[in-house]
Amino acid sequence: MTCYEELKARGLIAQVTNEEEISKMINEGKATFYIGFDPTADSLHVGHFMALCLMKRLQMAGNKPIALVGGGTGYIGDPSGRTDMRSMMTPETIQHNCDCFKKQMERFIEFGPGKAQMVNNAEWLLKLNYIELLREVGACFSVNNMLRAECYKQRMEKGLSFLEFNYMIMQSYDFYYLFQHYGCNMQFGGDDQWSNMLGGTELIRRKLGKDAHAMTITLLLNSEGKKMGKTASGAVWLDPNKTSPYDFYQYWRNVDDADVLKCLRMLTFLPLEQIDEMDKWEGAQLNQAKEILAFELTKLVHGEEEAEKAQQSAKALFAGGGSSADMPCTHLTDAQFADGKIGVLNLLTACGLCASNGEARRLVQQGGISVNDAKVTAADAVFEKDAFAGDGIVIKKGKKVFHRACLD
């Protein structure tokens, strides 16, 4: 099976502009491709997994990845998938986030001469002269066509700023610049980026002629992949200081039955033949498949040692033989107690087990919370501060999530 055929078999390819030529370039290791990452946080999250794994697969086949961090476009903000405008970030914050991305990406792809590159589009976007940009690039874009793009249509009712309206032009210019200065001949992105990516391909053709080779591919379900990065309690980060290896493992261990094989195909490097065998698994065997998924992805991000620790801790806790030391822990401060007490709803949100008091209330009312093995049935239940001394208390959410809370 060729590299491109495997990408399709794993469900990673949604749309392409020229499949015959794209597959030939990828299979022969002649693609220099880029994928963009918005530096909106100081850590990547699991919604970036698909792109990171794709970069790794293509590099293993001899192709050259360019990880483009949007230090320049970060000043504008991508309107795709949003109902409001992003808050503006300072240059210092953007640069810090870009530096953090590089460290995390190094677990997936190899940087160096002739290998992967990390490029910041601030290098060229911040130097652009506005009048020159309008004359050179703006003339190549039809406002009518831009407004038909889904990323803009969904924002028109609530308001689209002129600042954000420029995002497509900026992203298109990225491909144009990378094509000319870095030999980049291919771009990958999520299905929500299709219009922006086509804009870059068209810009190259209009400026450099029809013979210019610039290819476009979108990843299947990448917008869904971004949703993977969010849970009820927030984002699932690749940074162990934000999401512990144990919590990271547990996130994948608890995926829906319907998603486990899809995730195994798209995100792990297990042979397809091995994954196809799991298609026959049912019932308890699906839990084994989830354990394989969780272990493989935790190993990829945090290393084999941390993956083994997380798996052992999870199995021990699930079997009832684990200790509180195996659990993720939230350290509460004095300020979180009122008159020496904390309510169960505030406790659950403070520990990141629920996103809001409303969600915590519903979970308690449905019998989904236990504290120190005692079911909590009242939404107005409170806990004395003294109970959190020493090893603290153990909270159980549902059947599989264990969490410890103690005093800071």
Side-chain angles (χ1 to χ4, degrees), residues 36-57:
F37 298 84
D38 283 336
T40 51
D42 60 359
S43 174
L44 299 167
H45 57 69
V46 300
H48 295 110
F49 238 106
M50 207 175 298
L52 295 170
C53 292
L54 178 73
M55 295 173 83
K56 182 178 177 70
R57 293 184 204 280

Side-chain angles (χ1 to χ4, degrees), residues 309-349:
K309 286 181 183 177
Q311 187 171 66
Q312 291 168 5
S313 296
K315 288 183 175 181
L317 288 169
F318 189 72
S323 68
S324 60
D326 296 320
M327 302 174 193
C329 181
T330 295
H331 295 267
L332 301 174
T333 64
D334 289 339
Q336 291 172 290
F337 292 85
D339 297 326
K341 300 176 181 179
I342 186 171
V344 65
L345 306 185
N346 290 336
L347 176 62
L348 293 174
T349 56

